[in-house]
Amino acid sequence: MRPLRLLAAVAGAPRLLDARPTAPPYSLSGARGTAPAPDRPSTRERLRAWAELLRVSALFTVPGDALAGAAAVGRRPDRGTALAVGASLCLYEAGMALNDWADREEDAVDRPHRPIPSGRIAPGAALAAAGVLTAAGLALAGRAGRPALAVASGLAATVWAYDLRLKHTRLGPAAMASARTLDLLLGATATAGAGAGATSGTTAMRGTTATSGTAATRGTTGTRGTTATVGTAKAVGTAATVATMSGGAGGGATASAARSAPAVRPAPGRTLTPGRTPAAALPAALLLGAHTYAVTAVSRHEAQGGSTAAPLAALAGAAGLAAALLRGRAAPGGPPPSPPTAAGRLLLPAFAAAYLRTSGVPLLHAALNPSPPLTQRAVGGGIRAMIPLQAALAARAGAPVGGLAVMGLVPLARALSRKVSPT
């Protein structure tokens, strides 16, 4: 029986050799089937890669810069503040994309899971995103006025210089601190510029001639001047007419124009301090820059760990900043700030305590055990601590409601940081 079986197997061999596997009724290659190709990431995976590249969980630390700047110049957040927030967000994300592009070779060794070394995002795409976001940030700042555009240009130059040249030098922490300082000053400059336009722009449109006293003076010299005054009053408004009828050379016209101009509304719970320039925001900006300097110094050791001095120095700096927040000082560049309200006196210590807890506890753990995970956690805590710091700066400037609005970002930042690391 065995020879017969062997002969049958040999006789059927050609049929077996010619046999071809039949194609399945569907394909998993993505060409005809519903499942995507194995080598092509899904839309959700691509979005997550970009979220990791841009570190979107750290975005909530940005709007408070502009709000604290607006509070420092004694004005209520307005259109200029909103433009400053948009510009800051774009420039911040540009720095994140550029940072990963510049560190792609280093991350391939220390952080191979990052989007660029893992191949989820092409290096050219990250660099292009940095350029587009920078242009968008400058465009938004330009809408807030030339002074705001000048500050934003300095901020963009600082961000690019840090990522491309200064990050791994001794000037790295100072450059990053300068960027945060300029970001708060951007909010102050944009808000002060928009506020000045709101107070003087309408007056200039309705009664420029009357305010300067030119038309009223001409009205007292003769019939020709009086006719010109009446004509101007018809074209501009009632201010010049009142001035001409009352016979005032300049004072009456100025008073009428001032009465017709809309007043800038102060922030809730505070009194508007007129004449505050963006320089008044410099002390608050320097405090925020000092915190940024300490966090950046700690971040230089987050990949390898092993540094105890940097977390200890940052912890001492956080304690000093919390103490400085509770000591109100007059800001240069204008009259002294209005005294804090009852709400401000209650919220300021709470915000300062929240800042110290958010930044100090992880720094203490990193100082006791300077391992890479604890050091990275300390850096993340320092980034999130910027939110209560900004809230405290706003409350110290007399805007407790603005501080509460900033603190409302804390739960969002904490929830998103569980999904996307801010470091």
Side-chain angles (χ1 to χ4, degrees):
M1 295 296 294
R2 292 183 180 178
L4 293 177
R5 292 179 181 177
L6 180 61
L7 181 61
V10 173
R15 177 180 296 180
L16 295 176
L17 293 176
D18 293 338
R20 296 180 181 178
T22 58
Y26 58 88
S27 174
L28 296 178
S29 63
R32 292 182 295 166
T34 57
D39 56 343
R40 185 177 182 180
S42 63
T43 302
R44 184 176 182 179
E45 292 175 344
R46 289 197 298 268
L47 290 177
R48 180 174 180 80
W50 279 102
E52 292 180 11
L53 178 77
L54 300 176
R55 296 173 175 86
V56 294
S57 61
L59 273 181
F60 298 102
T61 68
V62 178
D65 291 347
L67 295 176
V73 295
R75 297 195 180 275
R76 189 175 184 176
D78 52 16
R79 175 179 176 272
T81 313
L83 290 172
V85 170
S88 298
L89 290 173
C90 290
L91 294 176
Y92 187 84
E93 292 292 47
M96 292 297 180
L98 186 63
N99 175 78
D100 273 29
W101 179 84
D103 291 348
R104 61 191 185 278
E105 296 181 359
E106 178 182 346
D107 288 342
V109 178
D110 297 332
R111 292 182 171 185
H113 62 279
R114 293 295 300 167
I116 292 181
S118 63
R120 290 177 291 164
I121 294 179
L127 183 60
V132 171
L133 288 169
T134 300
L138 294 177
L140 289 173
R143 297 292 300 273
R146 291 184 178 179
L149 178 59
V151 177
S153 299
L155 174 58
T158 304
V159 169
W160 281 72
Y162 171 80
D163 286 333
L164 298 181
R165 186 68 63 178
L166 301 177
K167 181 178 181 179
H168 299 289
T169 67
R170 294 182 178 179
L171 298 178
M176 184 58 71
S178 300
R180 274 287 178 172
T181 301
L182 289 172
D183 197 36
L184 192 146
L185 292 178
L186 173 60
T189 304
T191 306
T199 54
S200 62
T202 306
T203 305
M205 292 176 61
R206 294 184 179 179
T208 304
T209 308
T211 304
S212 62
T214 305
T217 305
R218 291 180 181 176
T220 60
T221 57
T223 305
R224 179 179 180 183
T226 305
T227 304
T229 305
V230 173
T232 304
K234 292 180 180 179
V236 178
T238 60
T241 305
V242 174
T244 305
M245 292 177 63
S246 62
T254 304
S256 300
R259 286 194 298 269
S260 63
V264 177
R265 293 176 296 174
R270 66 169 298 155
T271 303
L272 178 65
T273 305
R276 301 282 292 278
T277 65
L282 187 58
L286 291 177
L287 288 177
L288 187 62
H291 172 77
T292 307
Y293 185 99
V295 175
T296 307
V298 176
S299 69
R300 296 164 74 92
H301 307 278
E302 62 179 343
Q304 292 83 16
S307 175
T308 302
L312 283 177
L315 182 60
L321 287 177
L325 288 172
L326 301 176
R327 294 196 307 266
R329 294 182 179 180
S338 55
T341 61
R345 288 191 295 269
L346 291 176
L347 291 176
L348 180 57
F351 293 157
Y355 161 72
L356 189 58
R357 180 183 181 279
T358 306
S359 62
V361 173
L363 286 172
L364 179 60
H365 292 166
L368 297 176
N369 181 13
S371 62
L374 290 181
T375 304
Q376 294 175 11
R377 189 175 301 176
V379 174
I383 294 174
R384 291 191 300 273
M386 291 182 183
I387 299 178
L389 175 58
Q390 295 157 349
L393 292 173
R396 192 182 71 153
V401 176
L404 284 174
V406 175
M407 284 298 291
L409 300 174
V410 171
L412 299 176
R414 183 182 294 113
L416 194 55
S417 64
R418 297 189 183 101
K419 300 180 179 180
V420 181
S421 174
T423 62

